[in-house]
Amino acid sequence: MGQKVLFFGDVGIDDTIALLFAYLSEGVDVIGIVACYGNVSKKQTTRNVRYLLEEVGRTDIPVMGGAEKPMTGEVPIYYPNVHGPEGLGPITPPPNEAAPLENFFQVISLIEEYDDLVIVNVGRMTSLATLFLLYPDTMKGIKSFYIMGGAFNVPGNVTPSAEANFYADPVAANIVMKYAERVFLFPLNVTEHAIVTPGMVNYVHAKGKAPLIKPLLDYYYEEFYKKMVPDIEGSPVHDALTLMGVEKKDICTFYRTRVAVEITGEARGLSIGDFRKSFEQDEFDGRPIHSVAISMNYFTFYQLFMSTMTGETF
């Protein structure tokens, strides 16, 4: 079996691609999913997760209900124009409210069960930050954290300076960046290059191992990305790249720096790192040094994505 992973997500199209990759991968084994608000509401995220697990025959994976709103106390803003009204593009998952959620704090039992557990967080960081506030000693036992968030030295995708996960709950993002150790951070400036083209989608679909990929990524590309970025050649799979990093660490090149997040004002959600190569890094109020992805090997990404999704060698 592959690396044990506890997955935190706001399951829309991109998160679903990541979970499908994990399902087909021999290098990743998801042992639990924390369903949080983000792309859609927590209730809809839970419905989407249940639907996906039923589709792939993995209803044995526990699903725990995470946060419903950010630590800022604000009412969450959802993005139906990106992921569709239900979060899965053209797909409308059937109601499944009868299926009970595990208590959120069941996460602690899962963490304590495994000695080398990796946490992958590809949505808002509210639930993860909550664990650092309530169980700091327990969280020290996590092997590493793979996080999709931030945008360093490039424009954001929600504001001119901020990426969506950092912007939606900058308080939580800042807590995680301050207290988590052994973090591999996958910011927007790298994940936006993890492009899956329509040709790749059609080939994967023809092989039949991942039938959900075509309707999801066709929608993602045609209904959102082509309209917002007319010259883009496909759909960036931000969350899938982050999870793929667990299996193949050299898929990205990393730069070591402490990270902080601006919490308020016009620069809310701004990712702050120290990229001054001619200076020693400041202490940054005692924060740990994280591994921030600064470039991606597209050929490695292509090979791993296509091999896993088709079962063939690329």
Side-chain angles (χ1 to χ4, degrees):
M1 297 296 287
Q3 171 65 57
K4 304 299 183 184
V5 166
L6 178 59
F7 186 91
F8 288 65
D10 51 343
V11 178
I13 292 174
D14 197 12
D15 309 62
T16 302
I17 301 302
L19 287 170
L20 286 171
F21 174 87
Y23 167 67
L24 294 170
S25 170
E26 295 181 357
V28 177
D29 180 19
V30 174
I31 54 88
I33 298 172
V34 180
C36 310
Y37 77 95
N39 294 317
V40 290
S41 68
K42 170 186 169 181
K43 180 178 180 180
Q44 188 62 51
T45 293
T46 304
R47 180 178 293 182
N48 293 349
V49 172
R50 297 289 195 198
Y51 168 78
L52 175 61
L53 294 180
E54 289 174 2
E55 286 293 304
V56 300
R58 287 302 311 272
T59 54
D60 58 302
I61 297 176
V63 180
M64 290 143 284
E68 294 191 18
K69 60 182 62 175
M71 289 184 171
T72 61
E74 299 163 319
V75 176
I77 297 173
Y78 306 124
Y79 300 92
N81 61 311
V82 181
H83 296 269
E86 309 292 335
L88 293 181
I91 298 172
T92 301
N96 51 22
E97 281 80 347
L101 278 176
E102 298 287 348
N103 186 294
F104 171 64
F105 296 104
Q106 185 68 25
V107 170
I108 299 302
S109 299
L110 279 177
I111 291 174
E112 293 174 343
E113 184 177 343
Y114 297 97
D115 295 329
D116 65 342
L117 186 65
V118 166
I119 285 180
V120 173
N121 190 306
V122 295
R124 312 325 185 212
M125 274 163 266
T126 315
S127 300
L128 185 56
T130 298
L131 293 175
F132 278 102
L133 295 178
L134 296 178
Y135 301 96
D137 291 338
T138 300
M139 298 304 285
K140 290 178 182 177
I142 299 297
K143 178 180 178 180
S144 54
F145 298 85
Y146 285 71
I147 295 172
M148 192 277 134
F152 293 87
N153 305 322
V154 298
N157 60 354
V158 174
T159 72
S161 60
E163 175 274 331
N165 288 335
F166 275 25
Y167 181 84
D169 193 347
V171 175
N174 200 47
I175 287 170
V176 173
M177 292 299 103
K178 183 172 182 177
Y179 294 112
E181 298 181 0
R182 299 173 296 281
V183 168
F184 293 86
L185 185 62
F186 292 74
L188 185 67
N189 40 291
V190 170
T191 63
E192 67 182 359
H193 298 296
I195 298 288
V196 178
T197 67
M200 293 166 66
V201 170
N202 290 336
Y203 191 87
V204 170
H205 183 69
K207 296 303 173 181
K209 291 176 67 68
L212 287 177
I213 283 183
K214 183 169 176 58
L216 291 174
L217 289 186
D218 280 356
Y219 181 96
Y220 209 25
Y221 182 50
E222 296 291 339
E223 298 300 323
F224 178 69
Y225 274 107
K226 276 182 71 173
K227 295 176 181 178
M228 296 299 293
V229 191
D231 60 345
I232 198 167
E233 296 181 354
S235 300
V237 287
H238 311 274
D239 300 342
L241 175 65
T242 305
L243 186 61
M244 291 165 74
V246 175
E247 180 171 344
K248 199 166 186 64
K249 291 183 176 61
D250 64 355
I251 201 168
C252 287
T253 300
F254 296 90
Y255 179 84
R256 300 274 289 163
T257 179
R258 295 176 174 85
V259 175
V261 181
E262 184 63 41
I263 293 175
T264 61
E266 292 299 319
R268 167 180 167 150
L270 175 69
S271 317
I272 304 169
D274 192 345
F275 292 88
R276 304 173 300 169
K277 296 183 179 180
S278 59
F279 293 84
E280 287 196 21
Q281 292 202 7
D282 294 332
E283 280 300 312
F284 253 52
D285 71 355
R287 291 167 184 261
I289 295 178
H290 300 319
S291 297
V292 178
I294 56 171
S295 64
M296 183 194 76
N297 185 322
Y298 185 80
F299 184 63
T300 301
F301 164 79
Y302 175 86
Q303 282 186 309
L304 182 57
F305 185 88
M306 294 300 287
S307 296
T308 301
M309 294 303 194
T310 66
E312 297 180 350
T313 299
F314 281 79

